[in-house]
Amino acid sequence: MSSQDQVASVAPVPAPQLAAAVDMRPLMASFPTGVVVTTALHPDGRPWGMTCTSLCSVSLEPPILLVCLRCGSPTLDAILASRSFAVNLLHDQARAFAELFASRAANRFEQVRWTGGGETAGPHLLDAAHTIADCDVVDDSVVGDHVVVMGRVRGVSRLRPQRPLLYGLRRYATWSDSVEGSYLSSDAQSFDWS
């Protein structure tokens, strides 16, 4: 029997069966990440924001990052309407801010000190963030129950050299080592990439 005859006599492999719904939460809970509050100013002037751990660098040239926000989120609606947003990277003393912006509190911006308008792409949380990126939306795409929003970074502001707030294993934490010397001197400046 030739090798061609052997291949032809092999039974076809059945198509894979659809798997039962997979709960990814245990997987993602064991993947520690930084904590951000993604913010936007709706064109009507109302500030919106939500705690988010889905932040990723996409490209350095041009500088593009992405955030993933759940479908139906008022913050997502404000981002898509204004076509801009800010990413507030939270420092290790900002757990209360992370919890506030993860809650359904309607008056969250009345409980924090923030600034917006002018050159900002969304509200800057002055007491909670160690670094803020202002972004213009370049693409958005629905993926499952979330929308992936890609933003071109137009500026980065470092407010303070402080350890980042982390989230993993369903709890907040921070790095235990000192942040002294962790920033280059050029990192302490505000950059404008427009």
Side-chain angles (χ1 to χ4, degrees):
M1 181 183 287
S2 74
S3 62
Q4 186 176 10
D5 293 336
Q6 289 174 342
V7 171
S9 66
V10 173
V13 176
Q17 298 293 321
L18 292 177
V22 174
D23 183 4
M24 280 195 350
R25 289 175 292 192
L27 171 73
M28 297 315 297
S30 63
F31 181 67
T33 184
V35 182
V36 305
V37 173
T38 303
T39 60
L41 280 172
H42 194 278
D44 67 8
R46 187 166 179 192
W48 289 96
M50 65 181 286
T51 301
C52 176
T53 57
S54 298
L55 170 69
C56 180
S57 170
V58 174
S59 169
L60 293 176
E61 191 55 47
I64 295 178
L65 56 77
L66 69 78
V67 294
C68 298
L69 305 169
R70 69 175 170 75
C71 294
S73 158
T75 301
L76 174 62
D77 294 343
I79 290 171
L80 297 178
S82 67
R83 304 304 290 173
S84 64
F85 61 97
V87 174
N88 294 265
L89 304 183
L90 300 190
H91 59 70
D92 65 344
Q93 300 300 307
R95 177 179 175 170
F97 293 88
E99 291 171 342
L100 174 65
F101 281 88
S103 75
R104 297 201 181 271
N107 64 343
R108 50 186 90 158
F109 281 95
E110 295 170 18
Q111 300 180 46
V112 300
R113 191 167 68 101
W114 63 279
T115 185
E119 295 299 312
T120 66
H124 287 193
L125 303 179
L126 302 175
D127 297 322
H130 64 80
T131 307
I132 301 169
D134 289 297
C135 306
D136 294 316
V137 175
V138 294
D139 193 20
D140 59 86
S141 174
V142 176
V143 179
D145 57 2
H146 278 62
V147 174
V148 176
V149 180
M150 295 206 190
R152 181 182 175 114
V153 180
R154 63 165 118 134
V156 173
S157 302
R158 294 235 188 212
L159 304 183
R160 60 188 58 84
Q162 200 157 351
R163 290 181 292 216
L165 182 63
L166 305 175
Y167 188 79
L169 301 174
R170 293 184 169 77
R171 63 187 175 129
Y172 293 97
T174 189
W175 280 328
S176 59
D177 59 343
S178 171
V179 294
E180 286 188 37
S182 63
Y183 293 124
L184 299 174
S185 60
S186 64
D187 288 342
Q189 303 170 11
S190 179
F191 296 98
D192 181 10
W193 287 328
S194 47

